[in-house]
């Protein structure tokens, strides 16, 4: 394992990589946040990753998500599973289902940590409330135009749905997504290794990262 993650091992140490590989992570959503974040984390050594999403890859996803043109029409979790096996020789646990109040408990019950990358109020609310009631650590990653945030469940407030334009037509720069993914990836790693929970916000226009105070 050390050879494959040579530079991560030099930076974090072999013991840290082992700890990361043992973490049971559930990622809710395989869109702009989820698809890129799973690639990012599994290239840092995470191995026990479940990804929950029921959407298919569409052409407009190509610029902001991890998918390729030849994957259009595939279910996102299955495309992601194939991508990651080719990239790092590891399997994710793909769940091709919509997260609902009926299945949220069995799908998240074994998780050491949940990442919420959903893009709508209903799904985010379901993850938020379940993780609070079940005492499962959860970090939310949100994007909006030039703003991104990484917020832990204790202080998170679920935003309302975007009414106009449709969420799929909302302006979104790839650089904003990648900055958000880097912040979320470091938040996940620091939590797994040291139990650290810090909230961050990022604005693309001025390239500013700030810590969000707890409520």
């Amino acid at each position: 394992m050390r050879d494959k993650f040579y530079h991560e091992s030099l930076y974090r140490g072999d013991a840290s990589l082992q700890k990361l590989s043992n973490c049971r992570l559930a990622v809710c959503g395989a869109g702009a946040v989820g698809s890129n974040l799973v690639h990012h984390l599994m290239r840092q050594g995470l191995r026990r990753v479940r990804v929950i999403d029921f959407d298919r890859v569409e052409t407009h996803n190509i610029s902001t998500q991890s998918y390729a043109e030849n994957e259009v029409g595939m279910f996102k979790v299955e495309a992601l599973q194939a991508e990651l096996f080719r990239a790092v020789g590891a399997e994710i646990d793909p769940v091709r289902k919509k997260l609902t109040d009926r299945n949220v408990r069995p799908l998240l019950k074994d998780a050491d940590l949940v990442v919420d990358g959903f893009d709508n109020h209903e799904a985010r609310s379901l993850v938020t409330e379940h993780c609070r009631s079940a005492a499962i650590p959860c970090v939310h990653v949100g994007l909006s135009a030039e703003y991104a945030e990484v917020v832990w469940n204790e202080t998170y407030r679920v935003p309302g749905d975007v009414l106009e334009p449709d969420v799929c037509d909302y302006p979104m720069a790839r650089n904003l997504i990648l900055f958000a993914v880097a912040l979320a990836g470091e938040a996940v790693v620091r939590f797994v290794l040291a139990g650290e929970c810090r909230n961050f916000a990022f604005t693309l226009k001025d390239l500013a990262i700030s810590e969000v105070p707890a409520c």
Side-chain angles (χ1 to χ4, degrees), residues 11 42 84 109 157 169 181 183-184:
Y11 180 68
M42 293 191 75
L84 286 158
K109 70 174 183 178
R157 295 183 180 179
D169 298 324
V181 164
L183 281 174

Side-chain angles (χ1 to χ4, degrees), residues 28 33 99 115-130 138-143 149 151 153 156-161:
C28 298
V33 169
L99 197 71
V115 175
D116 167 28
F118 282 140
D119 60 6
N120 65 86
H121 177 85
E122 180 183 3
R124 283 191 180 274
S125 295
L126 182 61
V127 174
T128 301
E129 294 309 316
H130 176 75
C138 177
V139 63
H140 304 267
V141 188
L143 304 168
E149 66 178 14
V151 180
N153 214 29
Y156 181 68
R157 295 183 180 179
V158 182
D161 276 329

Side-chain angles (χ1 to χ4, degrees), residues 51-140:
V51 184
I52 305 163
D53 195 296
F54 71 102
D55 283 344
R56 293 179 183 268
V57 179
E58 298 183 57
T59 303
H60 66 256
N61 299 144
I62 293 172
S63 67
T64 56
Q65 302 178 23
S66 71
Y67 310 109
E69 192 168 7
N70 65 351
E71 294 171 321
V72 170
M74 293 179 63
F75 285 101
K76 289 182 177 180
V77 291
E78 294 176 356
L80 193 58
Q81 181 184 34
E83 289 172 5
L84 286 158
F85 185 78
R86 290 193 299 268
V88 294
E91 293 272 4
I92 64 169
D93 176 13
V95 178
R96 199 182 71 194
K97 294 180 180 180
K98 181 177 181 178
L99 197 71
T100 68
D101 57 357
R102 292 188 175 186
N103 64 21
V104 62
R105 183 177 298 276
L107 290 182
L108 299 184
K109 70 174 183 178
D110 295 328
D112 297 315
L113 173 62
V114 172
V115 175
D116 167 28
F118 282 140
D119 60 6
N120 65 86
H121 177 85
E122 180 183 3
R124 283 191 180 274
S125 295
L126 182 61
V127 174
T128 301
E129 294 309 316
H130 176 75
C131 288
R132 284 176 180 166
S133 64
I136 302 172
C138 177
V139 63
H140 304 267

